[in-house]
Amino acid sequence: MAGHDSNRVIVFDTSLRDGEQAPGFSMDPRGKRRLAHALAELGVDVIEAGFPSASPDDFAAVASIAREVRGASIAGLARATRGDVEACARAIEKAERPRIHTFISTSPLHRKHKLNMSREQVIEHASMGVTLARNRVDDVEFSAEDAFRTEREFLVEVFDAAVAAGARTLNVPDTVGYATPAEIRALFEYLRANVKGADGVVFSAHCHNDLG
């Protein structure tokens, strides 16, 4: 993730959350704590410790990392729902620098088949999720899942709503791992030129090398 007003790169590590989906990479809570401490020692800026609402074990692992690990921001992932955001807030409440990372899908395919929501409903939920998160922590990141298959003008509308609700970081994930570096650059340039308040937030990249 690159900051908006400097050349400083903010390193957001999701080994404990998205990385755990890799075959053979599942860890017990003790292993997760060990890795979190190692990441903090490496100087990682933000550690995404897990998805607290996914299971009681994941909640416990995130909470223990939030209590123990110092130096890095500790983030939890939450869908843009009240239950997820509140579970996330409880899990990270002991963190030195807590972050809630909330998300909703935005692409036409996900809106129709995953969420069964209209554009207006997606914007409403995005705004609600960020607002709920900002009521619990100062540092909120918002992700538009499947951003690269989302209509550009609609993606701007969603991000506008997230910024207005208080998001400090906007994550633009290539969820299906299909975008080329040139396509990623072009979308980020478009968003930075069109999102209201773009100069006041950090834009974050989340990529997959699924095609090798």
Side-chain angles (χ1 to χ4, degrees), residues 70-210:
R70 293 295 177 259
S73 293
I74 305 299
L77 187 69
R79 289 167 296 193
T81 65
R82 182 176 296 278
D84 268 31
V85 170
E86 289 181 351
C88 188
R90 291 195 305 273
I92 62 169
E93 65 183 356
K94 302 295 186 185
E96 185 178 49
R97 291 156 57 202
R99 172 183 290 201
I100 293 176
H101 179 193
T102 188
F103 73 97
I104 193 168
S105 294
T106 55
S107 68
L109 274 172
H110 281 214
R111 293 197 307 264
K112 180 177 180 182
H113 297 291
K114 182 177 179 178
L115 301 175
N116 191 26
M117 287 185 187
S118 66
R119 283 185 173 203
E120 292 74 21
Q121 288 173 309
V122 167
I123 291 173
E124 182 182 333
H125 277 74
S127 180
M128 178 195 70
V130 173
T131 299
L132 289 170
R134 270 307 296 267
N135 286 339
R136 302 298 295 266
V137 298
D138 288 334
D139 187 5
V140 176
E141 176 171 351
F142 172 76
S143 281
E145 185 181 1
D146 207 17
F148 279 82
R149 295 193 297 178
T150 300
E151 308 93 324
R152 280 188 169 190
E153 75 283 356
F154 177 59
L155 196 56
V156 168
E157 288 184 53
V158 177
F159 282 141
D160 282 349
V163 173
R168 291 186 175 182
T169 299
L170 300 179
N171 182 240
V172 190
D174 177 24
T175 302
V176 293
Y178 212 80
T180 66
E183 288 168 333
I184 289 171
R185 178 179 183 136
L187 181 57
F188 273 77
E189 287 177 342
Y190 176 84
L191 293 171
R192 290 184 66 191
N194 289 282
V195 171
K196 294 171 187 168
D199 288 343
V201 297
V202 172
F203 280 87
S204 162
H206 177 105
C207 310
H208 292 267
N209 189 24
D210 290 358

Side-chain angles (χ1 to χ4, degrees), residues 27-37 61 64-65 68:
M27 291 176 288
D28 62 18
R30 182 169 170 269
K32 288 185 176 184
R33 290 196 302 272
R34 284 183 63 198
L35 181 53
H37 282 291
S64 65
I65 289 166
E68 293 180 19

